[in-house]
Amino acid sequence: MDAQHDATGNAARPVLEAPDIARVLTRIAHEIVERAKGADDVVLLGIPTRGVFLAGRLAAKLEEITGRTIPVGSLDITMYRDDLRLRPARALARTEIPGDGIEGRLVVLVDDVLFSGRTIRAALDALGDIGRPRAVQLAVLVDRGHRELPIRADYVGKNLPTSLRETVKVQLAEEDGRDAVLLGVEQAAPAVER
């Protein structure tokens, strides 16, 4: 695997390529079917942006396995984040809940990278305003560690222990033109002379 560059121009090396991502999504789909005893009441909700694409891919794989259409939607967490005042304004994404809703269903939240856990906390808050699922589970493509909250994923594509200086960038064909997970090192900001 050759070193490439992430969006910030830093050297990054691929840790997952397209075939790896397809394989881990297939594995996660099988795990969901096994744990949910057939996935009869499963609803997938992707967290924008890349979590929505991953949820769609998981729904397709679940459909292949079960022969049933799996409801899939998206859950925008922007207004539930606890860092709104610390970060630049972000455009609101869409929340789309499948027609049958989430009441009494097993909701599987889908995201690309699990890091501090704050995004998932915000997703749980947003979900609580929509309805009351029977249970909530979490599926992530990459778990990079460094949790700040007591949150863990039920389904993990790849555990990727990282340092805080490292960056994990997920690229998906729907958004980025290719599938890859890149691991890079954040460059320190240049010193300013006075």
Side-chain angles (χ1 to χ4, degrees):
M1 293 184 192
D2 297 327
Q4 300 176 14
H5 291 83
D6 64 15
T8 61
N10 297 329
R13 68 178 175 86
V15 291
L16 292 176
E17 296 280 2
D20 306 312
I21 292 172
R23 191 171 36 258
V24 299
L25 289 176
T26 298
R27 178 177 45 78
I28 288 172
H30 280 282
E31 289 174 3
I32 290 171
V33 169
E34 185 176 328
R35 287 183 65 181
K37 297 179 180 32
D40 290 338
D41 69 342
V42 169
V43 175
L44 300 176
L45 292 180
I47 298 172
T49 297
R50 287 166 186 82
V52 174
F53 302 128
L54 291 170
R57 292 184 189 188
L58 267 176
K61 293 200 181 278
L62 286 166
E63 198 169 318
E64 287 174 21
I65 296 166
T66 65
R68 287 189 307 279
T69 301
I70 304 298
V72 63
S74 61
L75 183 65
D76 179 44
I77 54 115
T78 305
M79 298 311 294
Y80 294 88
R81 295 193 62 93
D82 63 2
D83 61 357
L84 280 176
R85 67 185 185 289
L86 304 174
R87 295 179 142 199
R90 176 181 162 162
L92 294 175
R94 291 179 55 132
T95 290
E96 295 179 7
I97 303 301
D100 290 341
I102 62 168
E103 293 293 324
R105 310 285 300 266
L106 169 58
V107 172
V108 179
L109 296 173
V110 183
D111 204 5
D112 55 352
V113 177
L114 179 57
F115 184 30
S116 67
R118 293 188 180 279
T119 295
I120 304 309
R121 187 220 36 93
L124 292 170
D125 289 348
L127 200 57
D129 283 351
I130 293 168
R132 184 180 167 93
R134 174 177 63 79
V136 179
Q137 295 178 346
L138 175 61
V140 296
L141 184 60
V142 175
D143 183 345
R144 65 169 292 185
H146 304 288
R147 218 73 75 239
E148 295 172 6
L149 299 171
I151 290 174
R152 70 170 180 80
D154 299 279
Y155 311 101
V156 177
K158 181 165 183 71
N159 283 297
L160 187 61
T162 61
S163 77
L164 287 172
R165 287 194 57 234
E166 290 176 305
T167 60
V168 175
K169 173 69 176 160
V170 173
Q171 296 180 329
L172 296 177
E174 297 92 336
E175 180 79 9
D176 309 295
R178 65 173 275 202
D179 285 356
V181 175
L182 303 175
L183 178 64
V185 177
E186 207 171 279
Q187 301 297 318
V192 177
E193 291 186 36
R194 294 179 183 221

